[in-house]
Amino acid sequence: MEGPNPTSSKEKEKPVYLAAALMMPHNLTEVLWRSFTTVASHPFRVCIVGSGPAGFYTAEKILKRHQGSQVDIIDRLPTPYGLVRSGVAPDHPETKNVINQFSRVAQSGRCSFLGNIALGSSISLVELRELYHVVVLAYGAESDRVLGIPGEDLKGIHSAREFVWWYNGHPDGRNLDPDLKSTDTAVILGQGNVALDVARILLRRTSELAATDIASHALTALEQSSIRKVYLVGRRGPVQAACTAKELREVLGIKDLYIHIKEADLKITPADEEEMKSSRIHKRIYELLSKAATAGPSQPSSGQRELHFVFFRQPDRFLESYDKKGYVSGVHLEKTALKGVGSGKQIAIGTGQFEDLSCGIALKSIGYKSVPVDGLPFDNQKGVVPNVKGRVLSDNSGDPTSIENGLYVCGWLKRGPTGIIGTNLYCAEETVASVSEDVEQGVLGPATNLPKPGREGLLQILEDRKVRVVPFSGWERIDKEEKRLGSLRNKPRDKMTTWEELLKAASE
Amino acid sequence: MSVCTVIAGACEGSLACSTCHVIVMDMEYYTKLEDPSDEENDMLDLAFGLTETSRLGCQIIARPELDGIRLAIPAATRNFAVDGYVPKPH
C-alpha cells in the first residue's frame, strides 16, 4: 500500500489527508500520555461495564492509546461477549468470529474480564467511580419496547429478545418455555433482522439446526414444533422494511419454503422513490422483495412451510382465545397509510379499517430498550443515557456543559439499540477519543492525579460481599466444557444454560 | 499483502461484517477490480462513509496489476461526509 502522493491533484489528496489525519491524534495522545506517566507513576485504571462488542472495542482502544492503563471489563454473566454469544443466531457462526479478536484483548496482560458482577447489586456505580479513574458503561439494552395495546400480557406473547435468549441458551431465557405445539401459526410484529432471525429459526429444518450451537432445550422444542406458517408484520411498506439485504436474501433462499408477498403492497409512490434514491439499503431491500413476490409458485404445495410478509398493518390489540382463557388467539390489525413528515421520512397512520390474523404465538420484535441504574441520568424517552460523544451528561436538560467527569458510555446504551457489531467500532473510537482528550486536559475529576484502588480494590469489596467473581480463566473452563459436550452431539458447542451449571463449570 | 492484517477484520474475511471497508482512491484501480458479489454488496450497504469506489478490503486480492493501488480508510467518526466530500472518479 503506497503512502500519499503530494504531487497528485487536489481531488486525490483530500481522502488521503482524511486517512492520514486519523493517525495524528493517536500519536499525539501517546506522546502527551507518556509525559503524564513520568509525572504520575501510577496506572490509569479503567472499568468497563459490559463485555459485548461495545465493551471489548472500548477496552482494545484504551489499551492501545494508553500504554500504562489497566482495564477491567465486568459483566453480570459468567460468560463474556454479550449479544455475540446470546444474540447472533446459531446458524450465523461466521458473525461470531469477532470473539477471537475479543479473547486476545481479554488475554493481554493489562486487561481482566471479571464475570458474575452485577452493576447495582454486586457493586454500585458510585463505588466503581471511586475505584477507577474512568468508568465506561457499555451494558447495552436488556429490556423491550412495549406496544402498549390491550391484550399484551396474554400468554403466548413474547418479546423477540426473550425468544432469542431462549434459543441461544442465555440463563435468563432458560425458562421461557414457549408453546410451539398447540398452533401452526406464529405472528412476528416487526421486520428487522431480529424478526427475520426468529422467523428463520422457527421455519428452518431442525436437521440443519442440529449441528449449530443452538441451545439443546430449544432444538428439542423446535423438533416437536407444529408451527408451519410465520407472518412477518410491518407497519409500513417494503421500502421502509428495517431488515438488511444479507438476512433477507438468506430467509428468501430457505429450501422448500413458500414465500408470500402481496403484489399490491409493492406499489411505490414518488416519496418511496425519493427514499430509495437516498438509501442504497432500502433500494436493494425493495428489489429483493419485488423479485421474491413474483418468483416461485402462487400457492404453497401441500405440507410446505410458509413465510408471509404483511405490510401496512399495525397491531391494535391482541385477541383472547375463547377455549383457552388468558391465551392469545390472534392479532387485530389496522390497515395503515404512509404520511410524509419531512426530510424524506414517512410514518404509518391508521386508516380505521381492521382485519384479524389468527395465531397461537405472537412475538414482538419492535426494538430493545436499555435499563437505567441508580445514580445514572437516563433519557426515558429515547432509552439512552444522555451524553455528548460518549461523555455522560448530568441530566436530560441537554446542557452539554454539565458533564459527569470520568463517566462515559458506549454502544447501545449510548446510541440506542440499532446497528451491527461493527457499528461499535466507530462508537468506541468516539468514546475513547473523548476519554483521551479528558485525560490530556486533566478533567477526569478531583482525583485525576491520585492513584486509584482499581482491580485490587474491586476484588476486595466483592470478596467481602461473597460475590463469586468469574475471571477469564473461569470462562475458558466453561468454554472447554461446552465444546466437549458439543463434540458428543456433533455441535460446535453445547451451551450450559443455567446459572448453576455455568458457575460450577467456571470454578472446576 | 492482505489488507485484513492491517485493519479491522471482525469476521476474519467471511463476508459477515464491513469493518475492513476501504475506499479505492483512483478510479483506474477501482475498475481493475472484479465487480463485488451480491454478498459483498450486502455488507457494503452497512459500511460507514460508503463511497462510489468503496470495497471490502478482504475481497481485494493482491496481484501484480494492482501494484500501486492506494486505499483510504473511512474517518472514525460516524459523519464521514460531514463536509459533503465525496471522492469523484477522474
Side-chain angles (χ1 to χ4, degrees), chain B residues 5-79:
Chain B
T5 62
V6 176
I7 54 182
C11 75
E12 302 176 351
S14 55
L15 281 176
C17 77
S18 56
T19 53
C20 69
H21 170 213
V22 291
I23 299 159
V24 182
M25 288 166 49
D26 305 303
M27 198 55 168
E28 178 199 337
Y29 282 96
Y30 180 74
T31 52
K32 281 188 187 169
L33 301 171
E34 268 184 47
D35 281 349
S37 62
D38 280 343
E39 289 70 28
E40 183 181 343
N41 270 325
D42 289 349
M43 290 302 107
L44 284 170
D45 279 354
L46 311 171
F48 282 110
L50 190 71
T51 68
E52 283 171 29
T53 56
S54 283
R55 292 299 302 265
L56 292 185
C58 67
Q59 302 301 301
I60 302 178
I61 312 301
R63 50 190 166 92
E65 297 78 26
L66 296 180
D67 187 32
I69 191 170
R70 299 186 304 152
L71 303 170
I73 51 179
T77 58
R78 291 168 63 219
N79 296 323

Side-chain angles (χ1 to χ4, degrees), chain A residues 131-150:
Chain A
L131 290 165
Y132 293 88
H133 293 105
V134 158
V135 174
V136 182
L137 302 172
Y139 63 73
E142 292 199 318
S143 180
D144 310 294
R145 285 181 68 201
V146 289
L147 288 164
I149 61 176

